[in-house]
Amino acid sequence: MQDKKQVVFSGVQPTGKITLGNYLGAIKNWRPLQEQYQCIFCVVDLHSLTVTQVPAELRKNTMDLLALYIACGLDPDVSTLFVQSHVHEHAELAWILDTVSYVGELNRMTQFKEKSRKHADNINMGLMNYPVLMASDILLYQTDLVPVGKDQVQHLELARNLAERFNSRYSETFVVPQGLVPKTGYSIKSLQDPSAKMSKSDPNENAFVALTDSKEDIRRKLRRAVTDCGSEVRFSPDKPAISNLLTIYCLSSGESVEQAEQRFAGKGYGDFKSAVADAVIAMVEPIQEEQKKLLQDKAYLESVLKRGAESASKTAAKTLAKVYRKVGLVPASR
C-alpha cells in the first residue's frame, strides 16, 4: 500500500496583471510539485475583494488566471484547480477561525500595515481579516506544505498558530502546515528599485514585467532596468540590481549563476539586458499562446472549474463538519 501523498495548497489573486515575479517566484515552481504531492491550486477571488473591484473585470481576470494556470503547466487531471468562492466552506471556516484569532496579532501583520497606508480611504475589516481567510484556505484541506515567498511567511505563521490554538482548545483537528520556500527566485525585485519586491500595483509600469506584455514591452522594460556601478555582470550583495537581473535570466534560461557570469564576462550591461529580454520572451511566448487558445474554449474552462470545485468541496465539507462538531454546533438535519 502506497503512502498517502502530502497535500500542497497555494493560490493567487485574480487582480489583473500577473507579473514575471509572480510566475518565477510562485507559479513556475508549482508545476514540478504535481509529480510528488497532492496539489490544490486556487484562484483566491474572495481575497481580492479587500480592494474595490470592477465586477466585470474581476470575472474576466478570474477566468484569465485559470487559463494561465493551465498554460503554465498545471494539469487539471492531476491537480485540483478551482475558484475560492465556489467552495463556501472557505468563508465559513474563516468565521470559526476568527473566534480564535486576536486583534493584536492581526494588527501586527506587516501587509495589513502596508496596505492600510496604500488604501487609507478603504481600511476595511476584510483587509485586517485577510490572513484569517488565508489560514482557512490552508487548513480546510489539511495542508501539509504551503509554497511561500518571504512576504507570506508571517501569514503562514498565523495559520500555524491558529491550527495549534484550535487543536489545543478543541482536540486534534487540523494539520499544522509547513512552509515550502524555493531555493531561488522566491523574491523577484522591482526593475526600478531592487530593494522592493516586483509588484503589479507599482505605479511605475517600467518596474515590472507582466506575463501578458508584448515582446516590445518586455525589451523596453528590461532595457530601462536600473543597474549598479561598474560594468561587471556578477551576483553579489553589492550589486542588487544586477543580481536581480541575473536571477531573472537564470530562472528563465535554465542556466546556473556561474554559467551566466562566465557567459557575460567582459560584456557590458547593454548586451546582458538584451540577453535577459531574449530569455524572458522565449519563456513567456508559449505561455501567452496557450492561454489565448484556452480562453477561446469557455466550455472547457468551466468544466475544469466544476470538477475542481466538486473535488475541493468533498475535503472541505469533511473538515468543516469536524470543526462544527468540535465547537459544539448542532448538525443540520438531512
Side-chain angles (χ1 to χ4, degrees):
M1 183 176 177
Q2 289 186 331
D3 292 337
K4 183 176 177 292
K5 286 185 176 181
Q6 288 186 300
V7 176
V8 167
F9 178 93
S10 197
V12 174
Q13 289 189 52
T15 49
K17 295 175 181 177
I18 301 301
T19 71
L20 187 63
N22 296 135
Y23 177 67
L24 294 177
I27 300 173
K28 184 175 186 285
N29 299 310
W30 294 353
R31 182 175 181 173
L33 296 178
Q34 298 175 117
E35 300 169 10
Q36 187 176 353
Y37 303 105
Q38 179 187 340
C39 291
I40 301 170
F41 298 119
C42 184
V43 178
V44 288
D45 56 342
L46 293 176
H47 283 289
S48 67
L49 298 178
T50 59
V51 177
T52 303
Q53 301 289 331
V54 176
E57 288 182 5
L58 179 58
R59 284 188 284 270
K60 178 183 182 301
N61 290 339
T62 297
M63 298 306 288
D64 285 354
L65 182 53
L66 172 67
L68 183 66
Y69 277 1
I70 300 170
C72 289
L74 302 187
D75 186 347
D77 293 326
V78 177
S79 298
T80 301
L81 308 182
F82 71 104
V83 171
Q84 183 186 29
S85 62
H86 292 184
V87 180
H88 60 82
E89 287 86 356
H90 285 257
E92 292 181 46
L93 179 57
W95 171 250
I96 301 296
L97 294 179
D98 272 337
T99 67
V100 295
S101 302
Y102 303 131
V103 173
E105 62 190 346
L106 298 182
N107 268 329
R108 288 193 296 272
M109 291 288 150
T110 302
Q111 281 203 353
F112 173 65
K113 294 176 183 177
E114 290 176 352
K115 289 187 177 182
S116 294
R117 285 195 295 270
K118 286 183 181 178
H119 306 285
D121 60 336
N122 185 25
I123 306 175
N124 55 74
M125 284 307 299
L127 203 59
M128 177 182 280
N129 245 26
Y130 181 105
V132 181
L133 179 56
M134 182 175 169
S136 172
D137 300 336
I138 295 166
L139 300 182
L140 198 52
Y141 299 99
Q142 303 297 347
T143 302
D144 298 287
L145 298 166
V146 183
V148 287
K150 283 184 177 179
D151 60 322
Q152 293 292 345
V153 169
Q154 193 181 33
H155 288 173
L156 177 60
E157 196 56 38
L158 177 72
R160 287 173 50 80
N161 290 342
L162 294 181
E164 290 171 345
R165 193 175 299 157
F166 190 96
N167 290 349
S168 175
R169 187 176 298 181
Y170 296 107
S171 78
E172 290 297 315
T173 306
F174 297 117
V175 170
V176 180
Q178 302 289 327
L180 190 63
V181 181
K183 293 178 181 177
T184 58
Y186 57 82
S187 185
I188 302 299
K189 303 300 183 182
S190 162
L191 299 179
Q192 297 299 312
D193 178 7
S195 68
K197 179 186 173 184
M198 182 180 284
S199 172
K200 59 190 171 188
S201 62
D202 197 308
N204 183 352
E205 289 222 341
N206 288 316
F208 64 89
V209 170
L211 283 195
T212 53
D213 279 347
S214 67
K215 290 189 287 188
E216 294 74 19
D217 283 341
I218 292 172
R219 290 195 187 283
R220 174 178 54 79
K221 290 178 178 182
L222 286 166
R223 188 169 58 246
R224 294 179 179 178
V226 299
T227 54
D228 306 297
C229 295
S231 60
E232 187 181 5
V233 177
R234 175 170 50 86
F235 195 95
S236 172
D238 65 343
K239 284 183 168 284
I242 293 301
S243 295
N244 186 46
L245 290 174
L246 264 173
T247 298
I248 292 171
Y249 175 79
C250 291
L251 290 173
S252 301
S253 68
E255 287 187 19
S256 68
V257 171
E258 293 75 16
Q259 289 172 325
E261 288 176 335
Q262 290 175 11
R263 177 183 296 277
F264 299 108
K267 296 183 180 179
Y269 287 162
D271 288 341
F272 172 54
K273 287 181 177 180
S274 179
V276 177
D278 287 341
V280 170
I281 290 166
M283 178 180 64
V284 304
E285 269 194 320
I287 295 171
Q288 292 175 346
E289 290 171 8
E290 183 63 17
Q291 184 191 29
K292 287 177 185 174
K293 190 188 302 181
L294 287 162
L295 286 170
Q296 291 171 0
D297 193 346
K298 184 180 178 183
Y300 170 69
L301 293 178
E302 288 178 344
S303 73
V304 168
L305 288 183
K306 184 174 184 293
R307 276 191 294 144
E310 288 172 351
S311 175
S313 293
K314 288 178 183 176
T315 302
K318 287 179 184 177
T319 299
L320 190 66
K322 184 189 294 185
V323 168
Y324 276 10
R325 185 173 68 254
K326 292 285 183 77
V327 301
L329 300 181
V330 174
S333 298
R334 300 299 180 190

